Amino acid sequence: MHAFAVSGEGADVTDVELPTPSPAGTQVLLKVERSGVCHTDTHLRQGFYDLGARGKMRLTERGMTYPLVMGHEVVGTVVRVGERVSAHRPGDLRLVYPWIGCGECARCHDGADNHCANGRNLGVARPGGYAEHILVPDEKYLVDIEGLDPSWAATLACSGLTAFSAVHKVLPLPPDDPIVVIGAGGVGLTAIATLKALGHESICAVDLSEDNLSVAKGLGASATVLATGEVSQAIIGTCGGPVAAAIDFVNNGATATAAFDALRKAGRLVQVGLFGGELTVPTALMALKMITISGSFVGTPAELNALVELARRGALPRIPVVEAPLTAASVQESLDRLSGGGVAGRIVLRRD
């Protein structure tokens, strides 16, 4: 089968030939119909995460190998199944949950694959959706998306799920308590849409792009802040005082500091983005203000099913989706566009 892979840190995407997997046991083989392009893939291509003063976390030291077939926002058609698969048949169109754990630890047995310390994520430790086919280890990771546009549905596997899980780390709050969403790219816009769908009314979007902020307003943001100058003071001024919660989908040193400084007493900061850096906070203020800081990484299979159900009920506003063909050149161009910033929404590659 054709696959589109990177051969090493910072390498270009090339077309490679790989054996088409043959499913066995609980495995399911799908023909890729859609594959969303995520900013995480730009970090995977460069091969490391920025840990600030601690240096770089090289992904090859955490089990990632080259050539790497990325792509973790996948919708595909079932083409073959293993002998222990009972609920799926060839022809079924499904969204893939990609954040797969080891299958053996207590967290995996609790249905929290994304908490697994030895995850085997599709598009990271296993070949992903920038290919003609994808092998999913168990049918339990497949989600029915009947009635949804496949391109938009693909984004729910990461952009949607990441936003959904992060939003639920700050809710419940009174609808008029300000929640700040930092970063109005694909994931941040999905968070704004999700907050709106769940009935929250006071949503402040923060971004460097006026175009992105305009889209955020259309999806439910009640206020916006252009991220120039003293961002924390701009947030406080726009929201009428320190805020109840901030969700940082950029999460570099500057945005994390601005979010922390904008919080009110007993405020909550959820850190999601992987842009890297570090946050230094006064320890006394952490106690005196009773601040909570938590990390959030994607979400559980149950959360993805709940999100898809929200979308199927028509309660979730759609983020903008830009389509392109699923080719090596399109994967390369899409990753370059994301690295440069300015994509208002999500890029989804489709099989012609």
Side-chain angles (χ1 to χ4, degrees):
M1 68 177 186
H2 282 293
F4 313 114
V6 291
S7 59
E9 292 185 5
D12 289 340
V13 177
T14 57
D15 191 333
V16 299
E17 286 288 328
L18 298 175
T20 302
S22 182
T26 62
Q27 296 173 336
V28 180
L29 182 70
L30 298 96
K31 190 171 188 64
V32 174
E33 306 290 348
R34 303 288 192 279
S35 192
V37 184
C38 178
H39 204 283
T40 298
D41 289 335
T42 67
H43 298 292
L44 295 175
R45 182 174 63 158
Q46 73 181 4
F48 62 86
Y49 289 116
D50 175 9
L51 302 184
R54 300 189 181 207
K56 297 176 180 178
M57 183 181 78
R58 305 213 96 81
L59 297 177
T60 52
E61 298 171 1
R62 296 177 60 84
M64 194 179 80
T65 60
Y66 295 103
L68 173 63
V69 180
M70 300 179 291
H72 51 262
E73 293 185 338
V74 181
V75 167
T77 301
V78 175
V79 291
R80 291 202 299 277
V81 302
E83 66 276 8
R84 290 166 55 196
V85 172
S86 60
H88 290 86
R89 294 291 181 267
D92 290 343
L93 185 69
R94 295 292 184 265
L95 174 65
V96 178
Y97 175 86
W99 311 109
I100 295 166
C102 68
E104 299 175 357
C105 68
R107 303 307 292 149
C108 288
H109 285 244
D110 288 341
D113 285 66
N114 61 311
H115 291 234
C116 177
N118 298 296
R120 299 286 296 162
N121 301 331
L122 293 168
V124 184
R126 288 182 167 104
Y130 297 158
E132 287 186 302
H133 294 88
I134 187 169
L135 184 68
V136 179
D138 196 293
E139 65 178 340
K140 69 182 180 180
Y141 297 118
L142 302 180
V143 182
D144 189 352
I145 55 167
E146 183 179 359
L148 298 180
D149 169 52
S151 292
W152 180 47
T155 71
L156 301 180
C158 179
S159 176
L161 179 60
T162 298
F164 187 81
S165 186
V167 160
H168 281 84
K169 289 179 173 65
V170 302
L171 294 178
L173 282 170
D176 58 351
D177 262 4
I179 295 177
V180 175
V181 174
I182 299 180
V187 190
L189 291 174
T190 304
I192 291 164
T194 303
L195 284 165
K196 185 68 174 178
L198 295 174
H200 203 79
E201 297 173 1
S202 184
I203 309 164
C204 178
V206 181
D207 200 273
L208 286 166
S209 165
E210 291 183 345
D211 289 341
N212 285 7
L213 293 177
S214 178
V215 176
K217 288 281 284 187
L219 288 171
S222 57
T224 61
V225 169
L226 190 63
T228 57
E230 293 292 332
V231 176
S232 61
Q233 291 305 309
I235 292 171
I236 291 170
T238 299
C239 295
V243 300
I247 309 173
D248 189 354
F249 291 104
V250 179
N251 200 30
N252 60 25
T255 60
T257 300
F260 179 87
D261 289 345
L263 292 176
R264 73 185 187 196
K265 192 168 185 177
R268 182 179 294 270
L269 169 59
V270 178
Q271 297 185 299
V272 185
L274 298 171
F275 280 74
E278 54 193 4
L279 170 65
T280 302
V281 299
T283 55
L285 277 184
M286 285 289 295
L288 291 169
K289 294 184 66 175
M290 301 183 293
I291 298 295
T292 300
I293 300 177
S294 63
S296 188
F297 177 72
V298 297
T300 66
E303 286 176 316
L304 180 58
N305 277 279
L307 175 63
V308 169
E309 182 57 30
L310 190 68
R312 292 176 72 176
R313 294 203 311 266
L316 185 66
R318 289 182 50 147
I319 65 168
V321 172
V322 178
E323 292 185 337
L326 180 55
T327 64
S330 283
V331 174
Q332 176 75 38
E333 180 184 358
S334 299
L335 292 172
D336 289 343
R337 284 185 64 189
L338 286 183
S339 296
V343 178
R346 210 67 167 173
I347 301 172
V348 176
L349 308 178
R350 60 182 295 159
R351 181 172 65 88
D352 292 331

